[in-house]
Amino acid sequence: MVEGSRLLGGFDPDAGRNQHDANAPQRIPLPSLLRSLLSEHLDPGYAAAAAARRDGAGRPRAVEWGWQVAAALAVAAVFGIAAAQAQTAAPVTREAQQVLAGSVRAAEATDDQLTAQRNELTAQVAAERRSRLEGDALGRRLLGELDVADVAAAATPVIGPGLTVTVTDPGMSKDLSDVSKQRVAGSRQVILDRDLQLVVNSLWVSGAEAVAVGGVRIGPNVTIRQAGGGILVDNQPISSPYVLQVIGPPNTMADTFDRSTGLQRLRLLETSYGVGVSVSAADALSLPAGSVREVNFARQIGP
């Protein structure tokens, strides 16, 4: 093969050319790459793979099967150990749950007992204070001012006409597209603390004189907060249905509350999630006194 053949990919430029016949047609030589594409249809990689299989044909397949069986046994052993540990830990877990549940019930009973004792002592202090101050004009004036302050601080039980707003959480709804934004992820709860806060504020704007949520009186130091999947009012858990009792002029409050952002919010949740919302008037509602905490520092805001 001449040197020039390497320029054409290793194919002899004179290959196929007739050297004896005068004026015979000349054939154009093809480069080796194009020739291989037209004549050799099998990729060289297949031949290399076949050769590698031939070289490894002598290795016993029992070794490969052995490794696969060992891996399967290891996986089965891991799952077996995990199942055994779960069965062993199940009684301990149930016992721990029972202990925690008992502790919670005992704490709730103690809290109820202390609350009743506090209310009794408060009533005794109020009675003693009134008996001592009713003897003269200055004392009666002080008692009047204290009564006004107690009503503003929700420190006294009240009875009167008003409204009852009942909000029922339906749990999981058919459509969970969250038009109200940021429901609790993975929870069946729809009503959140900010919903009740907005409703309570709307009731105050509507002319409420006293408000209780879930039987807990709303006062200056009372908060409505989310705690995981539950709602706390003054650190006391409440659950659905959420009952809001409001004392005030029923007709005036109903008209104003019907146009408030709080009720509009509830109607949106009702349409989107199936939340139950009902507003009814009542002739005589009884609201308990709220908890009063000592305020050490206070500053007036506004006039």
Side-chain angles (χ1 to χ4, degrees), residues 235-252:
N235 293 326
Q236 299 184 34
I238 62 173
S239 59
S240 177
Y242 306 102
V243 179
L244 292 83
Q245 294 178 312
V246 190
I247 288 181
N251 296 331
T252 304

Side-chain angles (χ1 to χ4, degrees), residues 82-272:
Q85 290 179 348
Q87 292 179 355
T88 303
V92 178
T93 302
R94 286 194 295 268
E95 183 179 357
Q97 291 176 347
Q98 293 176 358
V99 171
L100 290 175
S103 300
V104 170
R105 287 192 292 268
E108 289 179 346
T110 302
D111 181 72
D112 294 340
Q113 181 180 359
L114 293 176
T115 300
Q117 183 178 0
R118 181 200 62 189
N119 294 337
E120 182 181 356
L121 293 175
T122 301
Q124 292 178 4
V125 171
E128 183 68 19
R129 180 182 59 191
R130 185 167 297 276
S131 65
R132 290 178 179 272
L133 294 178
E134 284 180 341
D136 53 24
L138 179 59
R140 287 190 293 271
R141 183 166 61 84
L142 290 175
L143 282 176
E145 294 176 356
L146 287 174
D147 290 340
V148 173
D150 287 341
V151 171
T156 58
V158 291
I159 299 175
L163 298 177
T164 299
V165 181
T166 304
V167 183
T168 305
D169 196 336
M172 189 69 71
S173 63
K174 297 180 181 179
D175 184 10
L176 291 181
S177 58
D178 192 3
V179 296
S180 60
K181 296 182 181 180
Q182 296 183 359
R183 299 290 104 187
V184 178
S187 173
R188 298 175 64 88
Q189 185 181 16
V190 175
I191 301 299
L192 303 181
D193 54 353
R194 58 177 173 268
D195 303 322
L196 296 181
Q197 291 170 6
L198 182 59
V199 173
V200 170
N201 290 334
S202 298
L203 290 171
W204 287 123
V205 174
S206 301
E209 300 174 3
V211 179
V213 179
V216 181
R217 183 75 174 275
I218 302 298
N221 298 318
V222 175
T223 59
I224 302 175
R225 290 288 182 266
Q226 194 83 24
I231 296 180
L232 301 180
V233 180
D234 197 21
N235 293 326
Q236 299 184 34
I238 62 173
S239 59
S240 177
Y242 306 102
V243 179
L244 292 83
Q245 294 178 312
V246 190
I247 288 181
N251 296 331
T252 304
M253 282 196 305
D255 293 340
T256 307
F257 183 64
D258 189 59
R259 301 187 301 270
S260 66
T261 56
L263 187 58
Q264 292 175 5
R265 173 74 165 184
L266 294 180
R267 296 303 183 193
L268 177 62
L269 295 177
E270 182 181 29
T271 303
S272 303

